[in-house]
mmCIF file of all heavy atoms in Angstrom:
data_model
loop_
_atom_site.group_PDB
_atom_site.id
_atom_site.type_symbol
_atom_site.label_atom_id
_atom_site.label_comp_id
_atom_site.label_asym_id
_atom_site.label_seq_id
_atom_site.Cartn_x
_atom_site.Cartn_y
_atom_site.Cartn_z
ATOM 1 N N THR X 1 16.489 13.854 8.469
ATOM 2 C CA THR X 1 15.075 13.652 8.181
ATOM 3 C C THR X 1 14.919 13.307 6.713
ATOM 4 O O THR X 1 15.828 13.494 5.905
ATOM 5 C CB THR X 1 14.257 14.919 8.473
ATOM 6 O OG1 THR X 1 14.641 15.948 7.549
ATOM 7 C CG2 THR X 1 14.486 15.400 9.899
ATOM 8 N N HIS X 2 13.755 12.770 6.340
ATOM 9 C CA HIS X 2 13.498 12.449 4.941
ATOM 10 C C HIS X 2 13.526 13.707 4.083
ATOM 11 O O HIS X 2 13.900 13.669 2.910
ATOM 12 C CB HIS X 2 12.133 11.773 4.793
ATOM 13 C CG HIS X 2 12.090 10.370 5.330
ATOM 14 N ND1 HIS X 2 13.023 9.420 4.994
ATOM 15 C CD2 HIS X 2 11.219 9.755 6.177
ATOM 16 C CE1 HIS X 2 12.733 8.278 5.602
ATOM 17 N NE2 HIS X 2 11.640 8.461 6.330
ATOM 18 N N GLU X 3 13.122 14.832 4.667
ATOM 19 C CA GLU X 3 12.987 16.061 3.881
ATOM 20 C C GLU X 3 14.325 16.731 3.599
ATOM 21 O O GLU X 3 14.509 17.345 2.554
ATOM 22 C CB GLU X 3 12.064 17.056 4.613
ATOM 23 C CG GLU X 3 10.607 16.634 4.670
ATOM 24 C CD GLU X 3 10.344 15.518 5.679
ATOM 25 O OE1 GLU X 3 11.160 15.368 6.618
ATOM 26 O OE2 GLU X 3 9.346 14.795 5.517
ATOM 27 N N ILE X 4 15.250 16.643 4.542
ATOM 28 C CA ILE X 4 16.528 17.316 4.379
ATOM 29 C C ILE X 4 17.652 16.318 4.655
ATOM 30 O O ILE X 4 17.972 16.024 5.803
ATOM 31 C CB ILE X 4 16.666 18.523 5.350
ATOM 32 C CG1 ILE X 4 15.515 19.502 5.146
ATOM 33 C CG2 ILE X 4 17.998 19.228 5.137
ATOM 34 C CD1 ILE X 4 15.521 20.658 6.121
ATOM 35 N N ARG X 5 18.238 15.791 3.594
ATOM 36 C CA ARG X 5 19.385 14.917 3.725
ATOM 37 C C ARG X 5 20.142 14.904 2.410
ATOM 38 O O ARG X 5 19.683 15.428 1.413
ATOM 39 C CB ARG X 5 18.982 13.509 4.166
ATOM 40 C CG ARG X 5 18.089 12.735 3.219
ATOM 41 C CD ARG X 5 17.666 11.422 3.856
ATOM 42 N NE ARG X 5 18.789 10.730 4.448
ATOM 43 C CZ ARG X 5 18.667 9.821 5.418
ATOM 44 N NH1 ARG X 5 17.492 9.525 5.896
ATOM 45 N NH2 ARG X 5 19.745 9.220 5.906
ATOM 46 N N PHE X 6 21.321 14.326 2.401
ATOM 47 C CA PHE X 6 22.141 14.335 1.196
ATOM 48 C C PHE X 6 21.534 13.477 0.094
ATOM 49 O O PHE X 6 21.744 13.717 -1.080
ATOM 50 C CB PHE X 6 23.556 13.840 1.509
ATOM 51 C CG PHE X 6 24.317 14.760 2.416
ATOM 52 C CD1 PHE X 6 24.533 14.421 3.742
ATOM 53 C CD2 PHE X 6 24.801 15.965 1.951
ATOM 54 C CE1 PHE X 6 25.238 15.272 4.583
ATOM 55 C CE2 PHE X 6 25.501 16.826 2.791
ATOM 56 C CZ PHE X 6 25.718 16.470 4.109
ATOM 57 N N GLY X 7 20.778 12.459 0.469
ATOM 58 C CA GLY X 7 20.194 11.568 -0.524
ATOM 59 C C GLY X 7 21.028 10.321 -0.710
ATOM 60 O O GLY X 7 20.511 9.225 -0.804
ATOM 61 N N ASP X 8 22.349 10.470 -0.769
ATOM 62 C CA ASP X 8 23.253 9.330 -0.852
ATOM 63 C C ASP X 8 24.649 9.819 -0.494
ATOM 64 O O ASP X 8 24.943 11.012 -0.567
ATOM 65 C CB ASP X 8 23.243 8.709 -2.255
ATOM 66 C CG ASP X 8 23.688 9.705 -3.313
ATOM 67 O OD1 ASP X 8 24.902 9.910 -3.459
ATOM 68 O OD2 ASP X 8 22.816 10.287 -3.976
ATOM 69 N N ASN X 9 25.505 8.903 -0.094
ATOM 70 C CA ASN X 9 26.834 9.302 0.352
ATOM 71 C C ASN X 9 27.799 9.570 -0.792
ATOM 72 O O ASN X 9 28.910 10.051 -0.554
ATOM 73 C CB ASN X 9 27.404 8.265 1.325
ATOM 74 C CG ASN X 9 26.997 8.556 2.769
ATOM 75 O OD1 ASN X 9 26.252 9.500 3.027
ATOM 76 N ND2 ASN X 9 27.480 7.748 3.702
ATOM 77 N N ASP X 10 27.431 9.240 -2.024
ATOM 78 C CA ASP X 10 28.253 9.652 -3.159
ATOM 79 C C ASP X 10 28.246 11.174 -3.242
ATOM 80 O O ASP X 10 29.279 11.815 -3.411
ATOM 81 C CB ASP X 10 27.731 9.041 -4.463
ATOM 82 C CG ASP X 10 27.877 7.526 -4.494
ATOM 83 O OD1 ASP X 10 28.951 7.039 -4.089
ATOM 84 O OD2 ASP X 10 26.925 6.844 -4.898
ATOM 85 N N ARG X 11 27.069 11.749 -3.119
ATOM 86 C CA ARG X 11 26.966 13.214 -3.130
ATOM 87 C C ARG X 11 27.668 13.816 -1.915
ATOM 88 O O ARG X 11 28.358 14.834 -2.033
ATOM 89 C CB ARG X 11 25.494 13.650 -3.165
ATOM 90 C CG ARG X 11 25.340 15.171 -3.166
ATOM 91 C CD ARG X 11 23.913 15.634 -3.359
ATOM 92 N NE ARG X 11 23.838 17.081 -3.286
ATOM 93 C CZ ARG X 11 24.118 17.910 -4.288
ATOM 94 N NH1 ARG X 11 24.516 17.413 -5.443
ATOM 95 N NH2 ARG X 11 24.039 19.213 -4.140
ATOM 96 N N LEU X 12 27.493 13.207 -0.762
ATOM 97 C CA LEU X 12 28.188 13.684 0.428
ATOM 98 C C LEU X 12 29.694 13.697 0.184
ATOM 99 O O LEU X 12 30.379 14.664 0.539
ATOM 100 C CB LEU X 12 27.854 12.791 1.620
ATOM 101 C CG LEU X 12 28.691 13.013 2.895
ATOM 102 C CD1 LEU X 12 28.556 14.450 3.396
ATOM 103 C CD2 LEU X 12 28.284 12.023 3.981
ATOM 104 N N ALA X 13 30.217 12.648 -0.435
ATOM 105 C CA ALA X 13 31.653 12.570 -0.700
ATOM 106 C C ALA X 13 32.104 13.687 -1.635
ATOM 107 O O ALA X 13 33.184 14.261 -1.457
ATOM 108 C CB ALA X 13 32.005 11.203 -1.294
ATOM 109 N N ALA X 14 31.287 13.993 -2.642
ATOM 110 C CA ALA X 14 31.626 15.084 -3.561
ATOM 111 C C ALA X 14 31.648 16.416 -2.824
ATOM 112 O O ALA X 14 32.532 17.252 -3.044
ATOM 113 C CB ALA X 14 30.636 15.117 -4.719
ATOM 114 N N LEU X 15 30.670 16.621 -1.945
ATOM 115 C CA LEU X 15 30.610 17.868 -1.187
ATOM 116 C C LEU X 15 31.761 17.967 -0.189
ATOM 117 O O LEU X 15 32.313 19.053 0.035
ATOM 118 C CB LEU X 15 29.269 17.975 -0.469
ATOM 119 C CG LEU X 15 28.050 18.123 -1.386
ATOM 120 C CD1 LEU X 15 26.759 18.089 -0.571
ATOM 121 C CD2 LEU X 15 28.126 19.408 -2.200
ATOM 122 N N VAL X 16 32.139 16.851 0.408
ATOM 123 C CA VAL X 16 33.295 16.844 1.311
ATOM 124 C C VAL X 16 34.568 17.155 0.525
ATOM 125 O O VAL X 16 35.445 17.878 1.004
ATOM 126 C CB VAL X 16 33.409 15.494 2.037
ATOM 127 C CG1 VAL X 16 34.758 15.367 2.757
ATOM 128 C CG2 VAL X 16 32.275 15.327 3.044
ATOM 129 N N SER X 17 34.661 16.633 -0.699
ATOM 130 C CA SER X 17 35.817 16.925 -1.547
ATOM 131 C C SER X 17 35.931 18.419 -1.794
ATOM 132 O O SER X 17 37.030 18.993 -1.765
ATOM 133 C CB SER X 17 35.700 16.180 -2.884
ATOM 134 O OG SER X 17 35.739 14.782 -2.690
ATOM 135 N N GLN X 18 34.788 19.067 -2.046
ATOM 136 C CA GLN X 18 34.788 20.516 -2.213
ATOM 137 C C GLN X 18 35.161 21.218 -0.905
ATOM 138 O O GLN X 18 35.936 22.174 -0.902
ATOM 139 C CB GLN X 18 33.409 20.991 -2.670
ATOM 140 C CG GLN X 18 33.056 20.599 -4.096
ATOM 141 C CD GLN X 18 31.712 21.169 -4.508
ATOM 142 O OE1 GLN X 18 30.811 21.318 -3.676
ATOM 143 N NE2 GLN X 18 31.565 21.477 -5.779
ATOM 144 N N LEU X 19 34.610 20.723 0.179
ATOM 145 C CA LEU X 19 34.827 21.340 1.486
ATOM 146 C C LEU X 19 36.304 21.369 1.857
ATOM 147 O O LEU X 19 36.813 22.379 2.363
ATOM 148 C CB LEU X 19 34.031 20.579 2.554
ATOM 149 C CG LEU X 19 34.097 21.112 3.981
ATOM 150 C CD1 LEU X 19 33.307 22.414 4.106
ATOM 151 C CD2 LEU X 19 33.559 20.068 4.966
ATOM 152 N N VAL X 20 37.012 20.267 1.613
ATOM 153 C CA VAL X 20 38.413 20.152 2.037
ATOM 154 C C VAL X 20 39.398 20.438 0.914
ATOM 155 O O VAL X 20 40.611 20.367 1.116
ATOM 156 C CB VAL X 20 38.701 18.748 2.635
ATOM 157 C CG1 VAL X 20 37.786 18.457 3.812
ATOM 158 C CG2 VAL X 20 38.588 17.653 1.568
ATOM 159 N N GLY X 21 38.900 20.769 -0.285
ATOM 160 C CA GLY X 21 39.797 21.038 -1.404
ATOM 161 C C GLY X 21 40.581 19.814 -1.820
ATOM 162 O O GLY X 21 41.803 19.882 -2.050
ATOM 163 N N ALA X 22 39.911 18.663 -1.939
ATOM 164 C CA ALA X 22 40.594 17.415 -2.279
ATOM 165 C C ALA X 22 41.119 17.435 -3.712
ATOM 166 O O ALA X 22 40.507 18.002 -4.611
ATOM 167 C CB ALA X 22 39.649 16.234 -2.093
ATOM 168 N N ASP X 23 42.248 16.790 -3.918
ATOM 169 C CA ASP X 23 42.826 16.658 -5.254
ATOM 170 C C ASP X 23 42.177 15.512 -6.025
ATOM 171 O O ASP X 23 42.103 15.544 -7.254
ATOM 172 C CB ASP X 23 44.335 16.406 -5.165
ATOM 173 C CG ASP X 23 45.037 17.469 -4.338
ATOM 174 O OD1 ASP X 23 44.781 18.663 -4.572
ATOM 175 O OD2 ASP X 23 45.814 17.103 -3.438
ATOM 176 N N ALA X 24 41.725 14.493 -5.301
ATOM 177 C CA ALA X 24 41.120 13.330 -5.945
ATOM 178 C C ALA X 24 40.037 12.741 -5.048
ATOM 179 O O ALA X 24 40.111 12.835 -3.812
ATOM 180 C CB ALA X 24 42.169 12.262 -6.260
ATOM 181 N N LEU X 25 39.051 12.153 -5.692
ATOM 182 C CA LEU X 25 37.949 11.461 -5.022
ATOM 183 C C LEU X 25 37.846 10.071 -5.616
ATOM 184 O O LEU X 25 37.769 9.918 -6.836
ATOM 185 C CB LEU X 25 36.640 12.226 -5.230
ATOM 186 C CG LEU X 25 35.328 11.503 -4.889
ATOM 187 C CD1 LEU X 25 35.270 11.155 -3.405
ATOM 188 C CD2 LEU X 25 34.125 12.367 -5.285
ATOM 189 N N VAL X 26 37.862 9.054 -4.766
ATOM 190 C CA VAL X 26 37.729 7.665 -5.216
ATOM 191 C C VAL X 26 36.398 7.129 -4.691
ATOM 192 O O VAL X 26 36.199 7.015 -3.479
ATOM 193 C CB VAL X 26 38.896 6.792 -4.714
ATOM 194 C CG1 VAL X 26 38.714 5.349 -5.189
ATOM 195 C CG2 VAL X 26 40.231 7.354 -5.205
ATOM 196 N N LEU X 27 35.485 6.833 -5.615
ATOM 197 C CA LEU X 27 34.167 6.308 -5.264
ATOM 198 C C LEU X 27 34.170 4.790 -5.438
ATOM 199 O O LEU X 27 34.348 4.288 -6.551
ATOM 200 C CB LEU X 27 33.094 6.935 -6.157
ATOM 201 C CG LEU X 27 32.902 8.454 -6.035
ATOM 202 C CD1 LEU X 27 31.931 8.952 -7.108
ATOM 203 C CD2 LEU X 27 32.393 8.826 -4.648
ATOM 204 N N LEU X 28 33.973 4.072 -4.335
ATOM 205 C CA LEU X 28 34.041 2.612 -4.355
ATOM 206 C C LEU X 28 32.649 1.993 -4.295
ATOM 207 O O LEU X 28 31.749 2.511 -3.641
ATOM 208 C CB LEU X 28 34.866 2.113 -3.164
ATOM 209 C CG LEU X 28 36.298 2.650 -3.066
ATOM 210 C CD1 LEU X 28 36.933 2.186 -1.756
ATOM 211 C CD2 LEU X 28 37.134 2.194 -4.258
ATOM 212 N N SER X 29 32.507 0.852 -4.983
ATOM 213 C CA SER X 29 31.245 0.112 -4.963
ATOM 214 C C SER X 29 31.556 -1.364 -5.144
ATOM 215 O O SER X 29 32.686 -1.808 -4.917
ATOM 216 C CB SER X 29 30.314 0.614 -6.068
ATOM 217 O OG SER X 29 30.810 0.237 -7.344
ATOM 218 N N ASP X 30 30.566 -2.124 -5.601
ATOM 219 C CA ASP X 30 30.766 -3.552 -5.835
ATOM 220 C C ASP X 30 31.183 -3.852 -7.272
ATOM 221 O O ASP X 30 31.430 -5.006 -7.619
ATOM 222 C CB ASP X 30 29.465 -4.318 -5.532
ATOM 223 C CG ASP X 30 29.001 -4.115 -4.099
ATOM 224 O OD1 ASP X 30 29.864 -3.974 -3.215
ATOM 225 O OD2 ASP X 30 27.779 -4.078 -3.868
ATOM 226 N N VAL X 31 31.228 -2.829 -8.124
ATOM 227 C CA VAL X 31 31.524 -3.003 -9.550
ATOM 228 C C VAL X 31 32.854 -2.333 -9.865
ATOM 229 O O VAL X 31 33.161 -1.258 -9.332
ATOM 230 C CB VAL X 31 30.403 -2.407 -10.426
ATOM 231 C CG1 VAL X 31 30.662 -2.663 -11.897
ATOM 232 C CG2 VAL X 31 29.053 -2.984 -10.012
ATOM 233 N N ASP X 32 33.647 -2.948 -10.743
ATOM 234 C CA ASP X 32 35.011 -2.471 -10.995
ATOM 235 C C ASP X 32 35.095 -1.158 -11.747
ATOM 236 O O ASP X 32 36.131 -0.498 -11.742
ATOM 237 C CB ASP X 32 35.807 -3.543 -11.742
ATOM 238 C CG ASP X 32 35.298 -3.764 -13.164
ATOM 239 O OD1 ASP X 32 34.070 -3.685 -13.388
ATOM 240 O OD2 ASP X 32 36.131 -4.026 -14.057
ATOM 241 N N ALA X 33 34.001 -0.755 -12.427
ATOM 242 C CA ALA X 33 34.003 0.481 -13.208
ATOM 243 C C ALA X 33 32.575 0.781 -13.620
ATOM 244 O O ALA X 33 31.646 0.021 -13.320
ATOM 245 C CB ALA X 33 34.892 0.328 -14.448
ATOM 246 N N LEU X 34 32.388 1.899 -14.319
ATOM 247 C CA LEU X 34 31.095 2.192 -14.930
ATOM 248 C C LEU X 34 31.034 1.510 -16.293
ATOM 249 O O LEU X 34 32.050 1.356 -16.971
ATOM 250 C CB LEU X 34 30.911 3.697 -15.092
ATOM 251 C CG LEU X 34 30.859 4.525 -13.807
ATOM 252 C CD1 LEU X 34 30.798 6.011 -14.146
ATOM 253 C CD2 LEU X 34 29.666 4.121 -12.945
ATOM 254 N N TYR X 35 29.822 1.119 -16.688
ATOM 255 C CA TYR X 35 29.616 0.461 -17.983
ATOM 256 C C TYR X 35 28.519 1.185 -18.755
ATOM 257 O O TYR X 35 27.733 1.950 -18.180
ATOM 258 C CB TYR X 35 29.248 -1.012 -17.776
ATOM 259 C CG TYR X 35 30.424 -1.871 -17.344
ATOM 260 C CD1 TYR X 35 30.873 -1.861 -16.027
ATOM 261 C CD2 TYR X 35 31.099 -2.670 -18.262
ATOM 262 C CE1 TYR X 35 31.963 -2.630 -15.633
ATOM 263 C CE2 TYR X 35 32.182 -3.455 -17.875
ATOM 264 C CZ TYR X 35 32.612 -3.417 -16.563
ATOM 265 O OH TYR X 35 33.694 -4.181 -16.183
ATOM 266 N N THR X 36 28.457 0.932 -20.033
ATOM 267 C CA THR X 36 27.472 1.600 -20.883
ATOM 268 C C THR X 36 26.054 1.156 -20.588
ATOM 269 O O THR X 36 25.092 1.802 -21.010
ATOM 270 C CB THR X 36 27.779 1.348 -22.364
ATOM 271 O OG1 THR X 36 27.891 -0.084 -22.586
ATOM 272 C CG2 THR X 36 29.085 2.020 -22.776
ATOM 273 N N ARG X 37 25.917 0.051 -19.893
ATOM 274 C CA ARG X 37 24.638 -0.442 -19.386
ATOM 275 C C ARG X 37 24.965 -1.328 -18.195
ATOM 276 O O ARG X 37 26.139 -1.630 -17.964
ATOM 277 C CB ARG X 37 23.867 -1.205 -20.465
ATOM 278 C CG ARG X 37 24.569 -2.446 -21.018
ATOM 279 C CD ARG X 37 23.731 -3.146 -22.080
ATOM 280 N NE ARG X 37 23.503 -2.285 -23.240
ATOM 281 C CZ ARG X 37 22.705 -2.595 -24.254
ATOM 282 N NH1 ARG X 37 22.040 -3.747 -24.239
ATOM 283 N NH2 ARG X 37 22.572 -1.773 -25.271
ATOM 284 N N PRO X 38 23.985 -1.740 -17.402
ATOM 285 C CA PRO X 38 24.304 -2.611 -16.266
ATOM 286 C C PRO X 38 25.231 -3.740 -16.691
ATOM 287 O O PRO X 38 24.966 -4.415 -17.699
ATOM 288 C CB PRO X 38 22.928 -3.120 -15.830
ATOM 289 C CG PRO X 38 22.010 -1.977 -16.159
ATOM 290 C CD PRO X 38 22.535 -1.420 -17.458
ATOM 291 N N PRO X 39 26.350 -3.946 -15.980
ATOM 292 C CA PRO X 39 27.393 -4.874 -16.437
ATOM 293 C C PRO X 39 26.951 -6.311 -16.642
ATOM 294 O O PRO X 39 27.595 -7.057 -17.388
ATOM 295 C CB PRO X 39 28.457 -4.761 -15.338
ATOM 296 C CG PRO X 39 27.756 -4.183 -14.167
ATOM 297 C CD PRO X 39 26.695 -3.293 -14.718
ATOM 298 N N GLN X 40 25.857 -6.707 -16.010
ATOM 299 C CA GLN X 40 25.389 -8.083 -16.190
ATOM 300 C C GLN X 40 24.604 -8.258 -17.491
ATOM 301 O O GLN X 40 24.291 -9.392 -17.879
ATOM 302 C CB GLN X 40 24.522 -8.523 -15.000
ATOM 303 C CG GLN X 40 23.165 -7.839 -14.893
ATOM 304 C CD GLN X 40 23.219 -6.507 -14.170
ATOM 305 O OE1 GLN X 40 24.307 -5.958 -13.953
ATOM 306 N NE2 GLN X 40 22.066 -5.989 -13.782
#
C-alpha cells in the first residue's frame, strides 16, 4: 500500500543485506558511480 512500503528497492536491498548477513551489497543503476552533482 502507499502507506506501508519500503519506498524504494535500494532500501529493500540494504534491509535484505542485514537480514541475510551479507558481506557486500552491489547497487546497480544507469550511472557508473556517484558524483558530486548530477553527472550531466
Side-chain angles (χ1 to χ4, degrees):
T1 67
H2 288 310
E3 291 75 23
I4 303 176
R5 63 186 313 157
F6 294 106
D8 60 80
N9 272 3
D10 294 316
R11 180 173 177 82
L12 170 59
L15 294 175
V16 168
S17 296
Q18 290 183 328
L19 182 72
V20 302
D23 306 312
L25 166 63
V26 179
L27 297 173
L28 303 174
S29 70
D30 301 327
V31 184
D32 68 324
L34 296 175
Y35 286 78
T36 53
R37 61 180 62 186
Q40 69 275 13

